[in-house]
Amino acid sequence: MKNYVPTVNIDWEFENYKYSHNFLLDGKGYISSITEENKEFIKPEFLYKFYSLNDYSLNSFLEGYLYFSNPKNFNDPFDCLVNREKYIISSGSERILRHRENIGVCCFTLENNNPLMWGHYANSYSGFCLKFENESSLLQNKNIAIKSHVAYLKDYKPANENLEKVIRELNLSSLDEEMKELIRKVLTMVFEYCWKMHDWKYEKEFRAISINSKSFDNKLYFDKNRVKEIYIGQNMKIKNPDSYKFLMRILKNEYPHIKIFEVKPHPLYVKLEFNEMV
């Protein structure tokens, strides 16, 4: 007979999004879901990650790791409250300062065929994109605190009355203090670190967040068998032939199992062509 661990369910909402979290009372994890206008975001079977072409991206592909960047290096100054960084640090404690310094975020997308993504995140078709199989082994790691779809908000406010009400009720509950603290941290991080302005909705982002990224040098190594396909922008071979040759050597030596595609704009229609390279 199986031993079932009791759970506590926390529901809250903001704008068109509804959140549901089931926390295991043994403190060993939780399951979350997000619904937008009655459409639930399910766990993606595959995740795509775009790369600009540079020494760092080629090295991460060669060695097989995902890099967790500090949000201060993002192109969106509002992501993860970067615009409020000075205020947060000046009004917080040493613990808050360490927290902000140790945040690491790894961003994925649910699609590989958006021309805007190829223009913005792959050097205008000079970079590449990887297709990861999103099995538990890819992001199941003690260093990852949050795995979540990103919400795209039209009118973000620093205070969320619905969430504050939920936390007040949590504080009055009979749960032990350690469990309450875990739940508060998860709820706050999802609210503050897993949203972007509505203008970015085309990205369809899924992200993983670490609160101790410096402890593993911001590099989370993955099983190379989790990479299923690579998509290479049409301009790489022309504009960066040496890097292209290096990438081909990496594929031959480290990823002989994956399919390779060249990506380019269709000559007639507004869509992308994916031509498999044999």
Side-chain angles (χ1 to χ4, degrees), residues 12 21 81 99 146 163 167 181-195:
W12 58 285
H21 309 271
L81 311 182
H99 169 74
I146 301 290
L163 182 56
I167 291 178
E181 180 63 16
L182 170 64
I183 295 174
R184 283 193 293 265
K185 283 182 178 179
V186 170
L187 297 180
T188 302
M189 288 180 64
V190 169
F191 174 58
E192 298 290 14
Y193 297 159
C194 295
W195 73 273

Side-chain angles (χ1 to χ4, degrees), residues 17 29 37 40 58 82 88 111 119 138 144 165 179 181-182 185 198 206-207 254 259 274 277:
Y17 295 90
E37 297 179 342
E40 182 179 353
L58 290 172
V82 171
I88 293 171
E111 295 180 349
L138 179 65
I144 297 179
K165 179 176 180 292
M179 192 67 202
E181 180 63 16
L182 170 64
K185 283 182 178 179
H198 192 265
F206 185 94
R207 60 176 44 177
E254 303 293 331
K259 293 182 178 181
F274 289 76
M277 301 168 60

Side-chain angles (χ1 to χ4, degrees), residues 220-236:
L220 187 71
Y221 288 85
F222 56 79
D223 178 355
K224 292 180 179 179
N225 288 317
R226 298 281 77 81
V227 183
K228 296 303 178 184
E229 296 176 354
I230 185 172
Y231 316 97
I232 302 172
Q234 65 165 353
N235 291 329
M236 184 191 299

Side-chain angles (χ1 to χ4, degrees), residues 8-272:
V8 57
N9 178 255
I10 303 290
D11 295 322
W12 58 285
E13 58 187 71
F14 194 48
E15 291 193 10
N16 296 325
Y17 295 90
K18 295 183 178 180
Y19 299 80
S20 181
H21 309 271
N22 283 294
F23 293 87
L24 301 178
L25 290 183
D26 62 1
K28 295 183 178 180
Y30 64 93
I31 301 172
S32 296
S33 65
I34 303 176
T35 301
E36 181 187 14
E37 297 179 342
N38 297 319
K39 180 181 178 182
E40 182 179 353
F41 296 140
I42 62 174
K43 177 185 175 182
E45 182 180 2
F46 299 103
L47 294 171
Y48 300 92
K49 186 165 183 61
F50 282 84
Y51 292 85
S52 296
L53 185 63
N54 53 53
D55 291 341
Y56 297 108
S57 61
L58 290 172
N59 183 69
S60 69
F61 187 46
L62 172 64
E63 296 189 14
Y65 64 81
L66 295 166
Y67 191 80
F68 280 68
S69 302
N70 190 286
K72 287 183 287 188
N73 300 317
F74 288 175
N75 57 1
D76 178 4
F78 301 102
D79 201 342
C80 294
L81 311 182
V82 171
N83 63 310
R84 293 160 56 189
E85 186 80 15
K86 291 183 179 179
Y87 171 78
I88 293 171
I89 292 176
S90 64
S91 62
S93 62
E94 182 68 24
R95 181 176 63 85
I96 295 296
L97 175 60
R98 290 196 303 271
H99 169 74
R100 296 295 295 179
E101 289 178 344
N102 279 278
I103 297 173
V105 182
C106 187
C107 304
F108 304 88
T109 180
L110 305 182
E111 295 180 349
N112 66 344
N113 59 355
N114 189 320
L116 290 176
M117 298 294 286
W118 280 95
H120 295 166
Y121 294 104
N123 293 110
S124 297
Y125 299 88
S126 294
F128 60 98
C129 174
L130 299 180
K131 178 181 181 179
F132 289 93
E133 185 178 44
N134 188 27
E135 290 191 351
S136 59
S137 60
L138 179 65
L139 297 175
Q140 190 66 37
N141 188 286
K142 64 180 181 179
N143 291 306
I144 297 179
I146 301 290
K147 293 172 286 186
S148 176
H149 292 271
V150 170
Y152 296 94
L153 306 179
K154 295 181 179 179
D155 187 26
Y156 167 81
K157 295 181 178 63
N160 179 338
E161 293 181 2
N162 180 259
L163 182 56
E164 290 175 353
K165 179 176 180 292
V166 168
I167 291 178
R168 285 196 300 269
E169 293 173 352
L170 169 69
N171 293 337
L172 296 173
S173 73
S174 59
L175 294 172
D176 65 69
E177 290 304 317
E178 186 176 353
M179 192 67 202
K180 289 180 184 179
E181 180 63 16
L182 170 64
I183 295 174
R184 283 193 293 265
K185 283 182 178 179
V186 170
L187 297 180
T188 302
M189 288 180 64
V190 169
F191 174 58
E192 298 290 14
Y193 297 159
C194 295
W195 73 273
K196 298 183 75 171
M197 295 171 62
H198 192 265
D199 309 64
W200 298 88
K201 193 168 186 177
Y202 71 91
E203 292 185 342
K204 296 184 178 180
E205 185 180 331
F206 185 94
R207 60 176 44 177
I209 302 175
S210 172
I211 57 175
N212 62 339
S213 63
K214 287 189 176 181
S215 68
F216 56 97
D217 199 27
N218 298 82
K219 299 176 181 179
L220 187 71
Y221 288 85
F222 56 79
D223 178 355
K224 292 180 179 179
N225 288 317
R226 298 281 77 81
V227 183
K228 296 303 178 184
E229 296 176 354
I230 185 172
Y231 316 97
I232 302 172
Q234 65 165 353
N235 291 329
M236 184 191 299
K237 188 175 183 179
I238 300 171
K239 295 183 176 181
N240 301 281
D242 291 338
S243 296
Y244 179 81
K245 291 177 183 178
F246 183 44
L247 179 61
M248 288 295 117
R249 288 199 299 272
I250 294 174
L251 288 166
K252 180 180 179 180
N253 296 329
E254 303 293 331
Y255 300 87
H257 61 285
I258 73 175
K259 293 182 178 181
I260 306 171
F261 296 85
E262 182 186 53
V263 181
K264 60 182 180 180
H266 193 282
L268 295 177
Y269 303 104
V270 184
K271 66 177 185 178
L272 299 179

